[in-house]
Amino acid sequence: MVLKIEHLTGGYTGVPVIKDINLEIKPGEALGLIGLNGAGKSTTIKHILGLLRPQQGTISLNGVELVKQPTQFKHEVAYIPETPVLYPELTLKEHLELTMLAYQQIPQTVWPRAKELLKLFRLDDKLDWLPIHFSKGMKQKVMIVTAFLADTSLLVIDEPFTGLDPLAVANLIALIKKALADNKMVLMTTHVLADAEQAISNYAVLNNGTIEVIGSLTAIREHYGLKDSDAFDKLYQVLSQEQKNA
């Protein structure tokens, strides 16, 4: 079981945004994808989700290639987007039921897990609420609950800490750690490294559409000549200067 991205080049209307990307995530591993806005993080995620078709290269999960077996591939992927996406006419309960249907789960089997997640994020008394009644943070919690309810091999998490209160951040980090202990794979993009490093040990730095370095935060500091005491905004300053010089 492994997520493999091999020589991936892609983007929009024939113009490559990401170029010759190679990444691998094994069970029990979490990889943080970091970089400036416009570096290609969202484009990479859209390719993994099958929303964009590669111009070159392959994406496979547990030996299943996305282009050749898209349905089987996507059945093993759950996604937490940066901006919550909810159906305005569906209640919270109906969103959970839709998730169960999409992932071919037996409701009687997974409802106990759903109730645990709802209680964790203080949504257990809001099953009949429509999205119009939710704050942005509550909508993000719904995305988290549905993603972890899906129980997939791979979790793709895009800037998950935006809008979350400190307790929800701690609960999300605990869920990620539990998923890793259960041999799940996690790919996360984030600018909030102080929170991310509680669950993630390795990072890939994406800059100008290419992977510059993969490793721990210590290895990344060494690669860019940063001191241990340097805040990571210094890293983004270095990446910004590289973009200007490119």
Side-chain angles (χ1 to χ4, degrees), residues 4 7 21 29 44-46 51 70 82 85 105 111 145 149 157 162 171 177 181 195 237:
K4 282 188 177 182
H7 303 292
I21 286 180
E29 292 183 349
T44 302
I45 285 178
K46 287 178 180 177
L51 300 176
E82 178 180 6
V85 181
Q105 296 172 311
W111 262 114
V145 168
L149 180 62
I157 308 175
T162 304
N171 289 335
K177 288 181 176 179
D195 289 330
Q237 292 174 17

Side-chain angles (χ1 to χ4, degrees), residues 185-196:
M185 294 167 273
V186 174
L187 176 66
M188 179 194 294
T189 72
T190 184
H191 295 301
V192 189
L193 298 182
D195 289 330

Side-chain angles (χ1 to χ4, degrees), residues 34-233:
I34 59 177
L36 294 170
N37 293 335
K41 301 189 300 297
S42 294
T43 302
T44 302
I45 285 178
K46 287 178 180 177
H47 278 287
I48 294 171
L49 298 177
L51 300 176
L52 293 173
R53 192 175 183 88
Q55 297 169 15
Q56 293 181 12
T58 60
I59 302 171
S60 63
L61 178 60
N62 305 336
V64 176
E65 191 172 330
L66 173 56
V67 171
K68 295 179 179 178
Q69 297 170 282
T71 301
Q72 187 176 346
F73 182 100
K74 293 174 184 179
H75 194 263
E76 287 299 325
V77 181
Y79 175 48
I80 302 175
E82 178 180 6
T83 302
V85 181
L86 297 173
Y87 295 99
E89 70 279 9
L90 297 185
T91 64
L92 171 56
K93 181 181 179 182
E94 289 169 335
H95 277 92
L96 297 176
E97 290 172 339
L98 182 61
T99 300
M100 297 173 193
L101 181 64
Y103 285 93
Q104 300 176 350
Q105 296 172 311
I106 301 172
Q108 297 93 321
T109 303
V110 296
W111 262 114
R113 171 63 171 163
K115 290 177 180 178
E116 289 177 4
L117 291 166
L118 290 168
K119 186 174 182 180
L120 185 65
F121 288 100
R122 302 174 301 286
L123 295 171
D124 51 316
D125 59 346
K126 299 174 176 62
L127 281 169
D128 294 326
W129 284 30
L130 292 167
I132 193 172
H133 299 123
F134 289 124
S135 67
K136 184 182 185 301
M138 292 169 72
K139 290 177 181 177
Q140 187 69 354
K141 291 174 184 178
V142 175
M143 295 287 93
I144 293 168
V145 168
T146 55
F148 281 91
L149 180 62
D151 193 29
T152 57
S153 298
L154 173 66
L155 281 160
V156 179
I157 308 175
D158 190 7
E159 295 292 347
F161 304 117
T162 304
L164 292 183
D165 57 71
L167 180 56
V169 169
N171 289 335
L172 173 57
I173 290 170
L175 283 176
I176 293 171
K177 288 181 176 179
K178 177 63 167 59
L180 296 176
D182 291 338
N183 276 333
K184 309 293 186 183
M185 294 167 273
V186 174
L187 176 66
M188 179 194 294
T189 72
T190 184
H191 295 301
V192 189
L193 298 182
D195 289 330
E197 65 180 329
Q198 297 181 58
I200 295 175
S201 56
N202 282 326
Y203 298 80
V205 179
L206 191 60
N207 196 27
N208 289 318
T210 62
I211 299 292
E212 289 192 338
V213 59
I214 299 176
S216 66
L217 293 182
T218 298
I220 290 170
R221 279 193 174 98
E222 292 175 354
H223 179 85
Y224 291 101
L226 303 177
K227 300 176 182 178
D228 288 344
S229 59
D230 284 335
F232 265 88
D233 57 358

